[in-house]
Amino acid sequence: MEYEIEVKGKMITIEHEDFKNRINFEDLTSINPSNIFGESSTISGDVGKIGLMKAEVYAMMQEAKLEISIYESDYKKKLRAQASKNSGKYIMKYEGESIEVKLTEKALDTCFESEPDWKKLKMTHITLEKYWNDLDSMYWSAQDKSKKLNGMVATINPEKFKDNVAKENTNSVITE
C-alpha cells in the first residue's frame, strides 16, 4: 500500500506491505512469551501501519463530515429561497402531507434531519467514526505492547532468556 503526503511542497510516498484482510486483535496486541525478540522487532511496524490506517479513515471521516455540512447548507439555501417566495414560509412533507413552516433559524437547525439523503450521509459518518475508534483502540493496545516489549528486551539477552522465563500462568498464558 502507498500513501502520498506533501511536506513543505515536496511529495513523499510512504510505502508498506498491507495487512491481510483480517487482523486478529488478540494476536496483534498480546505478547507471545516464546518470541519476545521477534515480536519486539515487528510491533513498531504494525503500530505504524495502524497509524496510517487511522489517518486514512480520519480523512474519510472528515470528508463525510464536509459532505454533511454542504448538504445542510444547500438544503437551508433551498428552503430560504422557497420562503422568500412564499410569505416567509417553506413547505415540509410529513407523513405524506405538505406542511407550511415559518422560516426561523431554529426551524432551519433541524429541517433536514428527516431527509433520507441526510440520514444516509450521517450514517456513513457514524460508520467511519466507529472504524476510527476501532483503529484507535487497536493502535493504543499495540503501542502499549510495544512499550512493554521494549522494557522486556532491554533487560534480557537471548542466551539468558530461557533461564529467566517464569514457569507459571502469566496473563492466561502458561509458559514453560
Side-chain angles (χ1 to χ4, degrees):
M1 176 158 285
E2 289 185 355
Y3 296 88
E4 286 194 354
I5 60 172
E6 185 176 338
V7 179
K8 294 187 178 184
K10 183 178 179 181
M11 291 305 292
I12 298 173
T13 301
I14 300 170
E15 182 179 306
H16 67 83
E17 287 184 32
D18 211 359
F19 274 118
K20 296 179 175 132
N21 289 344
R22 181 177 297 272
I23 300 170
N24 185 304
F25 186 82
E26 297 300 322
D27 288 345
L28 179 70
T29 59
S30 60
I31 295 173
N32 177 353
S34 66
N35 191 16
I36 300 283
F37 291 98
E39 288 200 356
S40 67
S41 64
T42 59
I43 189 65
S44 61
D46 291 340
V47 169
K49 287 178 192 176
I50 296 166
L52 290 171
M53 285 191 291
K54 273 181 61 177
E56 191 69 27
V57 171
Y58 185 78
M60 293 165 58
M61 190 171 64
Q62 292 302 101
E63 287 172 11
K65 189 176 178 180
L66 178 61
E67 284 183 48
I68 292 168
S69 182
I70 291 169
Y71 180 90
E72 291 172 358
S73 176
D74 289 346
Y75 196 82
K76 289 177 182 181
K77 283 179 192 173
K78 180 182 88 172
L79 295 182
R80 283 187 178 106
Q82 190 183 111
S84 73
K85 296 175 187 174
N86 191 27
S87 303
K89 295 180 179 176
Y90 59 90
I91 308 294
M92 293 292 296
K93 295 270 187 194
Y94 181 73
E95 295 180 357
E97 221 177 295
S98 294
I99 300 169
E100 283 189 337
V101 178
K102 184 177 178 179
L103 179 71
T104 64
E105 285 305 311
K106 187 154 179 79
L108 287 177
D109 286 344
T110 59
C111 61
F112 41 78
E113 291 179 354
S114 61
E115 292 297 312
D117 290 340
W118 182 85
K119 289 178 184 178
K120 185 178 177 185
L121 291 171
K122 194 69 173 172
M123 288 305 295
T124 298
H125 184 260
I126 289 168
T127 299
L128 290 169
E129 273 186 321
K130 182 196 178 306
Y131 294 163
W132 190 88
N133 286 325
D134 291 346
L135 287 169
D136 192 51
S137 175
M138 190 182 322
Y139 176 85
W140 288 109
S141 295
Q143 185 75 274
D144 184 54
K145 174 182 177 177
S146 178
K147 288 178 183 175
K148 288 176 182 170
L149 285 167
N150 285 340
M152 289 178 188
V153 170
T155 60
I156 301 172
N157 64 42
E159 294 78 30
K160 293 184 179 180
F161 177 69
K162 278 192 172 182
D163 298 336
N164 291 329
V165 174
K167 295 183 179 184
E168 61 184 60
N169 186 338
T170 308
N171 294 330
S172 302
V173 176
I174 299 175
T175 58
E176 298 178 20

